[in-house]
Amino acid sequence: MPVIETTIDTSSEAFRRNRDAMTPLLERLESELERARHARSDKARKRNEELGKLTVARRLDLLLDPDTPWLEVAPLAALGMYEGDVHGAGSRCGIGVVRGREVLVHANDPMVKGGTVYPMGVKKTLRMQAIAMENRLPVVMLVDSGGAYLPLQSEVFPDIDDGGRIFYNQAQMSKANIPQVCAVMGLCTAGGAYIPAMSDHVVHVDRTGAIFLGGPPLVKAATGEDVTAEELGGALVHCRDSGVSDYFASDDADAVRIVRDVVTTLPRTAKAFGPSRAPADPAYDPRELYGIIPPSTTIPYDCREVIARVVDGSEFHEFKALFGPTLVCGWAWIHGYEVGVLANNGILFSDSSQKAAQFIQLCDRMGIPLVFLQNINGYIIGREYERGGITKDGHKMVNAVATSTVPKFTVVVGASFGAGNYGMCGRAYGPRFLWMWPNAKIGVMGGEQAASVLVSVKNDQLAREGQPPLPPEFVEALKGPIMEQADKEGDAWYSTANLWDDGILDPARTRDVLGLAISAAANAPLEGRKVGYGTFRM
């Protein structure tokens, strides 16, 4: 297979400028991750130690097989929200290896607000469940939560995508034979009591783990009965008397040991697909991506340079290289897994949209996963292009993306604007995973465009009223706040805080993260896929 020949001069001034612009973004990423994982109050640490609990990091260390990969998901959820200290939305989550098999792990962090569940914590839990269901991964839950954060209960409880959906999903996973193993390592109160109750296997830690629909204060208020948490819902109560819990653990370490033993007993199924050839490092250093990516999404570059630093051996079999050149499509391998790659090299025209639809159909019929490297300002607009059919051709691409049945993976490496987000498999189009690079931008359109559109709308309104257009000073006053808001709400940090993605990636790690995600996706069967498409408007 042909090897992409790079044209990048790593000693050039442009390369240095790009690298210098990327460096502070990478430093911020590392700083934010470190803070999310380790910044805890002395009071919370002391309380955790007094209860004899392990930190969530130590629990994960004991749970996961040594020297195996860990694909953390949404580590910066709720970044900057809720006074800035609900780190990771109150949990550590990801895909890891336990007793030789891939599992999805959801672990409450009791040192973050006592494990109290905030609205973004609910959203993160639902995202983890979606990953488990889509990829048919066994679920391990290390539960240690004070329940819903009551001041925000209206955002946690009532709606279709609020807390109750967690238990609904548990029932659906059980019906689908997706194993769920729960370790009760702290409080499971009110609705949270259903998390262990609806799991297949429940491990309960003596003295610190407690399950009850109403805690001691509520019992006292409702019935007048004085009772301790241990008497009400401790390990002995539920292992010996109620039967809610299945395994009695003396402490956290013992609980994790039992969880690992339980995972060993879970039924195993063969993966739907595996590597089709031996993995090979790219021909070029992935860290060169720092100097390739421009600081502005308006500066063009050849997306093949990105592909060359992500795929095995930098080998790439390009499809329709001369047709629709603003979208690069072709076949490659990532850590030995064959993939179809779609990467933007400019705005989407009719020909590039048609090429995308055909390429997606081919990969879908062959059962080859799709990787989208998204850097798109949208589809071409204007009278000539509408007459040429850009709307119906864009529809073909969006239709193919929406209805394809193979696993899809998206990395936003630059811009993600407008309908281009849809055509390149944005969050709404069902990628198994979606990540952002720290330089990425997302929105209906860029800030400058949005501001100019609103100025134009206002001037059109004034013209209809027979008034002159806005003077320059009014234009600037109107555009400033709009551009500021678009910049704030369109950056990677805002996206990841709101769980619009599964995390911000160091570009040099993209290849490895994709390999882990593809491996996880292979747990879901491809058999029974109904390959087909909706109406293509011709």
Side-chain angles (χ1 to χ4, degrees):
M1 184 172 286
V3 174
I4 296 174
E5 294 186 12
T6 187
T7 61
I8 297 297
D9 179 2
T10 58
S11 64
S12 69
E13 178 64 20
F15 186 93
R16 185 194 62 77
R17 283 198 307 270
N18 292 343
R19 184 189 58 208
D20 290 348
M22 181 67 76
T23 297
L25 299 176
L26 296 173
E27 290 173 347
R28 179 182 178 186
L29 175 59
E30 190 59 35
S31 174
E32 296 287 8
L33 289 172
E34 177 70 16
R35 181 169 175 268
R37 290 166 182 162
H38 302 296
R40 304 293 183 267
S41 70
D42 291 339
K43 180 181 178 180
R45 291 183 186 278
K46 183 178 179 181
R47 176 62 175 163
N48 207 62
E49 291 173 2
E50 289 173 346
L51 293 173
K53 294 182 180 182
L54 299 175
T55 65
V56 69
R58 182 58 182 154
R59 289 171 178 175
L60 291 174
D61 285 343
L62 293 175
L63 175 67
L64 302 171
D65 292 354
D67 302 318
T68 56
W70 164 247
L71 177 56
E72 188 156 8
V73 178
L76 299 180
L79 176 67
M81 299 180 180
Y82 317 121
E83 299 181 354
D85 57 357
V86 184
H87 306 296
S91 64
R92 294 282 302 276
C93 302
I95 299 170
V97 180
V98 176
R99 290 292 174 90
R101 70 179 302 171
E102 290 161 325
V103 301
L104 186 137
V105 181
H106 185 287
N108 296 116
D109 190 336
M111 290 194 295
V112 177
K113 305 291 187 180
T116 305
V117 180
Y118 283 69
M120 290 307 299
V122 172
K123 188 172 182 179
K124 185 170 180 177
T125 301
L126 294 176
R127 175 61 188 145
M128 296 308 111
Q129 291 180 321
I131 291 171
M133 289 187 281
E134 287 176 338
N135 301 290
R136 296 196 66 85
L137 293 168
V139 178
V140 172
M141 292 169 284
L142 307 182
V143 183
D144 193 344
S145 172
Y149 181 63
L150 293 179
L152 296 178
Q153 62 91 20
S154 64
E155 299 177 47
V156 172
F157 172 70
D159 210 347
I160 189 172
D161 55 355
D162 284 339
R165 194 70 177 188
I166 294 170
F167 317 125
Y168 172 90
N169 286 345
Q170 283 193 266
Q172 294 297 321
M173 283 191 282
S174 183
K175 180 180 178 181
N177 198 28
I178 298 172
Q180 300 168 77
V181 183
C182 176
V184 180
M185 310 180 92
L187 295 178
C188 292
T189 63
Y194 290 114
I195 291 177
M198 300 186 75
S199 298
D200 299 299
H201 300 270
V202 180
V203 183
H204 200 141
V205 179
D206 188 29
R207 294 183 304 279
T208 56
I211 304 170
F212 33 66
L213 293 179
L218 183 57
V219 170
K220 174 68 174 178
T223 69
E225 181 182 9
D226 286 308
V227 63
T228 67
E230 185 67 17
E231 292 169 337
L232 187 61
L236 276 177
V237 171
H238 287 305
C239 288
R240 182 185 60 192
D241 302 328
S242 76
V244 169
S245 302
D246 307 310
Y247 308 94
F248 182 93
S250 58
D251 55 24
D252 281 5
D254 190 36
V256 173
R257 178 190 62 78
I258 296 170
V259 168
R260 285 176 55 80
D261 289 344
V262 170
V263 171
T264 303
T265 71
L266 300 179
R268 292 176 178 264
T269 56
K271 285 194 171 186
F273 57 89
S276 56
R277 70 181 211 179
D281 291 336
Y284 314 104
D285 188 344
R287 290 173 297 182
E288 291 176 358
L289 290 168
Y290 305 154
I292 292 171
I293 306 303
S296 170
T297 58
T298 62
I299 301 173
Y301 63 91
D302 188 350
C303 66
R304 295 173 185 84
E305 299 290 357
V306 175
I307 297 171
R309 288 155 180 84
V310 172
V311 303
D312 289 5
S314 303
E315 296 180 19
F316 186 60
H317 180 56
E318 189 165 348
F319 174 73
K320 287 186 181 290
L322 301 180
F323 183 79
T326 60
L327 183 70
V328 174
C329 302
W331 288 275
W333 281 261
I334 295 176
H335 281 282
Y337 291 94
E338 187 175 6
V339 295
V341 180
L342 299 93
N344 299 114
N345 238 5
I347 202 164
L348 289 163
F349 290 82
S350 282
D351 53 2
S352 46
S353 302
Q354 293 165 6
K355 178 166 75 171
Q358 182 184 358
F359 181 71
I360 291 167
Q361 286 179 310
L362 289 171
C363 290
D364 200 30
R365 291 187 182 279
M366 293 188 289
I368 297 173
L370 293 164
V371 172
F372 295 81
L373 301 177
Q374 192 179 121
N375 180 26
I376 180 63
N377 283 297
Y379 290 87
I380 192 67
I381 59 175
R383 180 189 304 174
E384 174 189 349
Y385 301 106
E386 290 295 348
R387 290 170 63 89
I390 184 59
T391 296
K392 67 179 181 182
D393 291 327
H395 139 76
K396 294 185 183 81
M397 180 178 177
V398 171
N399 187 323
V401 172
T403 55
S404 61
T405 59
V406 292
K408 302 185 288 277
F409 308 88
T410 301
V411 184
V412 182
V413 304
S416 178
F417 293 136
N421 170 279
Y422 307 155
M424 288 298 292
C425 199
R427 190 66 134 182
Y429 283 76
R432 297 290 180 94
F433 297 90
L434 183 149
W435 303 275
M436 305 274 280
W437 281 1
N439 59 294
K441 303 291 183 183
I442 187 169
V444 174
M445 60 185 70
E448 176 67 39
Q449 289 175 299
S452 296
V453 167
L454 289 177
V455 168
S456 179
V457 169
K458 182 62 178 177
N459 281 335
D460 288 345
Q461 178 186 349
L462 292 172
R464 289 193 300 271
E465 296 170 355
Q467 300 182 43
L470 292 171
E473 60 272 20
F474 278 67
V475 168
E476 292 306 311
L478 178 62
K479 291 176 68 173
I482 297 167
M483 293 174 62
E484 183 179 348
Q485 182 180 10
D487 288 342
K488 174 189 173 184
E489 296 182 357
D491 70 13
W493 313 102
Y494 191 90
S495 170
T496 209
N498 284 278
L499 271 163
W500 298 347
D501 56 63
D502 294 313
I504 300 176
L505 294 184
D506 178 336
R509 291 194 62 235
T510 301
R511 161 185 168 74
D512 291 338
V513 168
L514 281 169
L516 292 173
I518 296 168
S519 175
N523 287 280
L526 291 180
E527 300 84 33
R529 295 183 306 125
K530 187 176 180 181
V531 177
Y533 302 89
T535 301
F536 280 160
R537 186 169 297 280
M538 307 306 289

